[in-house]
Amino acid sequence: MSLLAQKNPAAGAHEDSAAAFVPDQSRAERKTSYAVDDFAVPGGREEDWRFTPVDRLSGLFQPGATEVDKLTLTVDGPEGVTTERVDPTAAGVLVPADRAAAVAWAGESKATRIAIPAEAELAEPVHITVEARDKARLNGHLVIEAGHHSKATVVLTHRGSAECGAVVEVKAGDGADLTFVTVQEWDDDTLHVAQNDVLVGRDARVRHIVVTLGGELVRISTNARYAGPGGSFEGLGVYFADAGQHQEHRLFVDHEAPHCHSNVEYKGALQGETAHTVWVGDVLIRAAAEGTDTYELNRNLVLTEGARADSVPNLEIETGEIVGAGHASATGRFDDEQLFYLQARGIPEDVARRLVVRGFFAAIVARIGVPEVSEHLMAAIDAELEGSR
Amino acid sequence: MSTLEIRNLHVTVETENGTKEILRGVDLTVKSGETHAIMGPNGSGKSTLAYAIAGHPKYTVTEGTITLDGEDVLAMSVDERARAGLFLAMQYPVEVPGVTVSNFLRTAKTAVDGEAPKLRTWVKDVKGAMADLRMDDSFAERNVNEGFSGGEKKRHEILQLELLKPRIAVLDETDSGLDVDALRIVSEGVNRAKEGTDLGVLLITHYTRILRYIKPDYVHVFVDGKVVEEGGPELADRLESEGYDRFVTAKA
């Protein structure tokens, strides 16, 4: 970290509220495997499970068949977009990095691949909707492939009641511009553990956007890598946890190619007893990744007593020849002075709260850049605040 | 015609060293069209009086009454007080990230009037009031008080005063941190509000310089949590030349 400070004074503010933790190994050494048995069932003391209530996930740690009768999967996209069942290793982007992902991988003999043709520019988003009921056991394996120099937005929406383990591979060809949004609007009893791996092609730009609102326990691990130089990865996340909800977002951006850019920004609000959010942002800049420019940020707004937000940024740097690297993490309580100021202008308390929370999310929601997602998200946040009264 | 009446007001605040009484029996009456200056040394409780009138939760009223036209202000929530016609221009306005000035003003106006303002006249009113206060149009799209200079914050407070049209306004050290030009612009705004809506003003200040632009009808000297001397504008002139020493020493 001192290396960073010396070589990159321009890297900006450095807040280390939760970053005192030092990993005992490089993030690159974390195990990956297709075989379920290569991963022990997590007991909760493992580094990558230490925040997760693993006792609730015992079902997703054991292989089980997908209950297809309780699942509706729809894909709706503009002309030219293809959907087909392919061999699971066809994309070659993702290798499971924990037991839940390995179980999900093993649970599906084929992957569903949605492909955007090379050089195609889609005027409308592709919509993938997963709708489940009655705590359906689901194993998901989805592949999103954007051909070279294509431009597209893909929105994956999860609804209903499920125990869902999933792996998602996102592959952007050279020069592609892909926005992938995963929305978790599950019912209150849903458990969802997903691994998303993103491979950014040469000079490609991928925006990976996570919106988590529903579910009892949602844990999404996002890993980004670069297939060549000049790639850009933007990871945006918005979450809102109510009483009893556990929402966990883990990111790992692995910079191996030179001259790549990454920017991660997650913002969450928490309200109600036992609402718990976890954000872990790992960035590794390998020796070869000269000219890297990376920043990650997590902000949490705690609206009520009894909620807990964990936030752990980690930055590992193996070369000093970089453009910039930084991170910031902050968790704050709802500011009563803001409330007073607004109320002193006649604005009723509930309206004032809504203004402040909307304000907290405004910038990041605007950056999502997919109007239907942004509008829906703001309405959902309003509904969450309404529900608290 | 409105009357704000403060009678025997005692207010405490919780500190690290326990409960501390800041106001010790304040009596004050402000009517529409009147301008009262409250002057006193630092730490005399002037700002506490302002916050207690507005209803800041940090301050506890232990004794006494505040009424507006006979209505019990102390029984009202912060927002109810504002809707009843009270306004506090704050010494340190609070930043509200992500909320634009334009959204904030419209929301406040809607709350105070009980209905949304007519869009066309409202936009014109806002632009006009901003122009009067020498505020650029782009101001409306900035986030409330975020990154504002001291002068911009005070102009923004007076902008709200002019648009929300309260009956009684408390101006808490509105002159602090303003250069002469800004002080004149802000004072003109207050005077416009006085003329336009027969506003009653309670002007809290440490120095007399703002009184050159906003003429007080009454001056109250505030020391150690209560009013110790009252008079007309001439009292301010005396304070200007003599300072607060004679009150502070008298107390000791």
Side-chain angles (χ1 to χ4, degrees), chain B residues 2-19:
Chain B
S2 290
T3 307
L4 176 72
E5 273 199 270
I6 299 169
R7 288 288 166 266
N8 190 33
L9 190 70
H10 290 252
V11 170
T12 62
V13 64
E14 293 304 319
T15 70
E16 284 171 14
N17 306 317
T19 307

Side-chain angles (χ1 to χ4, degrees), chain B residues 6-11 23-26 49 52 61 63-64 66:
Chain B
I6 299 169
R7 288 288 166 266
N8 190 33
L9 190 70
H10 290 252
V11 170
L23 300 188
R24 305 156 183 264
V26 178
L49 176 63
V61 175
E63 208 182 325
I66 304 178

Side-chain angles (χ1 to χ4, degrees), chain A residues 220-239:
Chain A
I220 297 179
S221 307
T222 303
N223 307 305
R225 303 190 326 271
Y226 299 84
S232 164
F233 172 79
E234 187 166 36
L236 300 179
V238 177
Y239 47 92

Side-chain angles (χ1 to χ4, degrees), chain A residues 335-349 351 355-356 358-360 362-363, chain B residues 51 56 78-79 82-83 87-88 90 94-95 97-99 103-104 107-108 111-112 145 157 160:
Chain A
D335 187 345
D336 291 334
E337 292 299 327
Q338 293 180 356
L339 201 58
F340 173 74
Y341 186 75
L342 296 171
Q343 283 189 265
R345 299 303 178 245
I347 301 171
E349 183 179 347
V351 180
L355 268 182
V356 171
R358 284 185 77 118
F360 173 76
Chain B
Y51 279 116
H56 193 287
V78 175
D79 48 306
R83 293 200 295 275
F87 182 89
L88 169 62
M90 296 189 202
V94 182
E95 293 185 6
V99 178
N103 184 15
F104 164 63
T107 307
V112 165
N145 293 320
E157 294 294 286
Q160 297 165 52

Side-chain angles (χ1 to χ4, degrees), chain A residues 90-136:
Chain A
V93 173
L94 183 148
V95 181
D98 61 36
R99 176 147 181 131
V103 165
W105 182 282
E108 287 287 275
S109 60
K110 295 273 187 187
T112 300
R113 178 172 70 185
I114 289 137
I116 295 123
E119 297 185 36
E121 295 207 3
L122 304 188
E124 296 292 321
V126 179
H127 288 279
I128 308 163
T129 308
V130 174
E131 187 119 36
R133 57 184 176 278
D134 305 331
K135 279 212 111 171

